[in-house]
Amino acid sequence: MEAMWMYCNPLVRRLKSLIDDGVIGEVRTVQADFGLAGPFPPSHRLRDPAQGGGALLDLGVYPVSFAQLLLGEPSDIAARAVLSDEGVDLQTGALLSYESGALASVHCSINGGTPVVASVTGSQGRIDVPDGFFFPDHFVLHRDGREPEVFRADPASGPRSSLKHEAAEVMRALRAGETESPLVPLDGTLAVMRTLDTIRDRVGVRYPGELSGGA
């Protein structure tokens, strides 16, 4: 199981449960960003093509994973990026389209610090996740005609950035004799990688050893 520990975070699971239950109606848009201010020298791993450098694979995987956690794999993808002299992406923006009519706007950067927030808008409301959306300490539910409702993390659940929740899920699955976790399914990992590879293809990022014809 990959270390996408966001999927096992109790508050992220609560957010997904609310959305799956239709609390904000049909999802219309998902927005998420993750950017670091830098600057990073050319020798840094984030700018080294041989180490899979660039914003997308290191940071963009979180906004993409958040969007696909809620909406699944997109039916179409548009993307633009600013590339470094080394050929990796300094910042990338992508628009993920879904057959339901939903859109997800995701952004990542290693040359500008962003709020690192997420928002999910539905036909009957909105959920805003503040700084650190992939390990939140709270989120706010806005429903039409009602006062905002704040959902907070349980302090007893441990550090926000801890891998403990995913480690516990690994142990639960092993004890149950499961070959994969329903929280971090194998096909979900592959779906996110397909999206990341498509975005790289759209913006022209290629790594050493890859075929020139595609990602």
Side-chain angles (χ1 to χ4, degrees):
M1 184 158 76
E2 66 161 326
M4 182 46 69
W5 42 272
M6 173 178 66
Y7 291 157
C8 300
N9 180 283
L11 205 56
V12 173
R13 292 178 63 183
R14 179 67 171 136
L15 181 151
K16 177 172 169 54
S17 176
L18 287 171
I19 291 173
D20 289 346
D21 289 343
V23 169
I24 62 171
E26 183 178 350
V27 175
R28 305 295 196 201
T29 63
V30 173
Q31 296 171 292
D33 72 90
F34 189 0
L36 300 177
F40 298 97
S43 59
H44 194 280
R45 67 171 182 82
L46 285 174
R47 288 185 58 177
D48 183 2
Q51 298 186 68
L56 181 65
L57 297 192
D58 198 272
L59 308 180
V61 62
Y62 289 96
V64 168
S65 294
F66 183 80
Q68 294 195 193
L69 175 67
L70 304 177
L71 291 171
E73 191 169 2
S75 57
D76 190 42
I77 299 171
R80 293 289 185 273
V82 176
L83 304 186
S84 71
D85 292 339
E86 303 81 34
V88 302
D89 62 305
L90 296 173
Q91 65 173 347
T92 295
L95 185 66
L96 315 182
S97 303
Y98 293 83
E99 292 182 358
S100 66
L103 297 173
S105 174
V106 296
H107 173 261
C108 55
S109 172
I110 57 172
N111 66 357
T114 69
V116 195
V117 298
S119 183
V120 187
T121 301
S123 57
Q124 299 172 25
R126 185 181 81 250
I127 293 178
D128 292 330
V129 191
D131 183 21
F133 70 87
F134 47 87
F135 59 117
D137 62 1
H138 74 282
F139 64 78
V140 184
L141 169 63
H142 302 267
R143 285 188 282 183
D144 298 344
R146 304 190 188 189
E147 290 296 314
E149 187 175 357
V150 180
F151 292 77
R152 298 190 182 279
D154 181 356
S157 67
R160 292 171 59 201
S161 59
S162 174
L163 283 161
K164 64 176 288 185
H165 304 297
E166 186 166 12
E169 173 62 10
V170 169
M171 294 309 300
R172 183 208 62 76
L174 289 173
R175 292 185 179 114
E178 298 174 5
T179 57
E180 65 177 318
S181 165
L183 300 183
V184 193
L186 303 178
D187 60 353
T189 296
L190 294 176
V192 168
M193 283 309 306
R194 282 192 293 269
T195 296
L196 295 176
D197 282 345
T198 299
I199 293 172
R200 286 202 302 119
D201 185 61
R202 298 281 193 271
V203 303
V205 172
R206 297 285 184 274
Y207 294 119
E210 288 190 304
L211 297 176
S212 61

